[in-house]
Each structure stands twice: as structure tokens, then as C-alpha cells.
Amino acid sequence: MTQVSSKSTTGGVQSVERAFELLEVIARAGGEAALSELAADTPLPLPTIHRLLRTLVGVGYVRQLPNRRYSLGPRLIRLGEVANRQLGALASPALKDLVSKLGESANIAVLDGDMVTYIAQVQSAHSMRMITEVGRRAMLHNSGVGKAVLSVLDDERVQRLVSQAGMPPKTANTITTLGKLFTDVEATRERGYAIDEEEQELGVRCIAVPVPGAPTPMAISVSGPVTRVDEAFTKRAVPVLQEAARELGRQLVAAAD
């Protein structure tokens, strides 16, 4: 039997860690980054970055674009889809509990590049209810889950992601300037929850909170018609949402150990 030295094993593990570090840097940059950005954001020597990128490009986990920037590769899509399905299954009991306690549709969404992607929903029993297709992407600046996710990011990353995606108006209530968005995000940080105040769809209000300790920024929310999701509902819903988010965060941390 061939003996594998501890040195080679350690080196192999270190290479894997460094490769994932590069993928994380590219993801934090919104899905693509220049070589200079990768060098600035990691302590790795430039020859090591080159070597790892060549390997990642070769296996399809990174793509080199015509402008010589590097982006996340197509092979990550399948991994992400499977991971999202598993995460959605893990979150499903918490969403069902939210619907049981609050009576409105509950969702969970994760940061996906410069947008958020809904990975699970449990619908309300009301005939008039919010239905969000799992897999649908939403913008960060006008969705409750998006603004809840922004609240846990630093201001530089908030500006980079939102500037990259743009801030198109969906309704007359949509925030369309960075100044107003930063005011809204700061308010979210202070009170601990985000509000989509008819910003994606007129007549619909959404209350969302970030999931603490999540391995990637994510948020859970409840949404429904403004006639039901009013101020009294919000006061009742926020502590229930926050406790659900804390419990989900604990489960995710435990699953990662």
C-alpha cells in the first residue's frame, strides 16, 4: 500500500482551502473579479493565484472572460442548485411554523451574486396570498429579503452589489437612489428587520429578517396584502420571525460542524 506523507496531505488540503478562498472572493465581488482584485483580497502570492485559477478554469468552476476577468464557472450551478434544495428542505419546518403562527406566506432567500434567490416557500391558507416561485430571483434594493441581506453586509459591498445590479423601479414606492437605500438599510440594522413597503408589487407588504450565523447571507420573510400585513401584524410578526431566524441559524451552524 502506498504511504501518503503528512506533508503532501497537508499541502493538498491547503490547496483546497486556497481554491475555495478564491471562489469566495469572486462571489463576494458579485460573481467576477480581476486578477488584481484577487491578489488584493487574499494573502496568496500571485504565482499561487495563477496556478489555482488555471486548475479551477480547467475543471469548469471558474471561467476566464474575454476581458481577462475571472467569473464563477458553470459547474458551480449544479452544486448550488443541490445545496439550495437541501437548505430549502432544512428551512421548510421553520417556514411552516411561521405560517401556522402568523397566517401569511413565508419565504427564505439567499444572496446569489448581486441578487437574492428564493429557495423555499410555504404558502398561506388565505385565498388571497403571496405566491413566490422557488428559484425566482429578486433584486436587493426593492425586496424585503434583499434589504435584510444587505443589512448584514458592509457598506462597501452594499454599494458594489447594488451599483452592479442597478436600481430599476418596480413601483412608485421603489427606492431608486443609493442615498435613500443606505438610509433604509441603516434603519433595518437598527430595528432588526426590513420592510418591503409595496416596493415590488403594489398592495403587498413584506417583513424580513436576516438569518444570523448563516454560511451565506440569507433572510426569511412573511408577506401578504397590506390590508392584513399592517402595523399591528408587524409588531406581532417581528419577534416570531427573529426567533425562527435564530433557530435556523443554530441548525445551519450545527449542520456545518
Side-chain angles (χ1 to χ4, degrees):
M1 181 181 294
T2 303
Q3 292 289 327
V4 179
S5 72
S6 60
K7 182 178 179 180
S8 64
T9 302
T10 302
V13 170
Q14 188 178 60
S15 293
V16 172
E17 290 175 345
R18 288 172 168 180
F20 276 107
E21 185 177 355
L22 290 179
L23 293 174
E24 289 285 350
V25 171
I26 296 172
R28 286 198 300 271
E32 67 174 69
L35 185 61
S36 58
E37 294 173 288
L38 295 172
D41 287 349
T42 71
L44 302 178
L46 202 56
T48 300
I49 295 175
H50 269 297
R51 176 174 56 80
L52 291 171
L53 286 173
R54 281 199 305 271
T55 301
L56 290 169
V57 169
V59 295
Y61 290 115
V62 168
R63 243 178 352 124
Q64 186 169 28
L65 304 175
N67 61 6
R68 304 196 65 76
R69 292 172 66 86
Y70 292 91
S71 72
L72 298 178
R75 289 196 67 182
L76 289 171
I77 294 173
R78 182 175 61 84
L79 297 180
E81 288 174 346
V82 173
N84 281 346
R85 285 200 299 271
Q86 291 180 324
L87 181 55
L90 178 67
S92 184
L95 299 184
K96 290 177 181 177
D97 189 54
L98 284 173
V99 174
S100 174
K101 291 176 177 176
L102 299 173
E104 299 296 342
S105 297
N107 306 278
I108 183 168
V110 298
L111 181 63
D112 180 8
D114 54 15
M115 300 179 76
V116 287
T117 296
Y118 290 96
I119 60 171
Q121 182 190 58
V122 175
Q123 295 176 18
S124 160
H126 292 290
S127 57
M128 182 182 293
R129 62 183 183 268
M130 287 306 300
I131 300 176
T132 300
E133 182 182 357
V134 172
R136 185 173 75 83
R137 302 181 81 209
M139 303 202 76
L140 295 168
H141 73 291
N142 65 4
S143 62
V145 285
K147 291 194 286 183
V149 163
L150 288 178
S151 72
V152 301
L153 307 180
D154 61 69
D155 287 351
E156 181 181 351
R157 191 175 178 193
V158 169
Q159 181 166 346
R160 183 172 68 248
L161 291 178
V162 173
S163 298
Q164 182 172 297
M167 301 178 68
K170 289 291 291 290
T171 74
N173 292 342
T174 304
I175 296 172
T176 56
T177 67
L178 272 172
K180 289 182 178 179
L181 180 63
F182 272 115
T183 298
D184 191 284
V185 169
E186 188 56 39
T188 297
R189 290 168 177 159
E190 290 177 1
R191 68 186 173 223
Y193 64 93
I195 306 175
D196 163 8
E197 194 68 73
E198 301 183 75
E199 296 166 54
Q200 279 202 94
E201 185 176 344
L202 290 176
V204 175
R205 184 174 287 126
C206 173
I207 313 298
V209 302
V211 176
T216 189
M218 65 182 67
I220 58 175
S221 68
V222 288
S223 55
V226 294
T227 51
R228 295 199 305 261
V229 182
D230 54 14
E231 185 176 351
F233 175 89
T234 300
K235 289 181 179 179
R236 181 166 61 91
V238 167
V240 178
L241 272 168
Q242 290 174 332
E243 176 52 36
R246 284 192 294 268
E247 177 56 30
L248 181 56
R250 286 191 288 266
Q251 292 178 28
L252 291 171
V253 170
D257 289 342

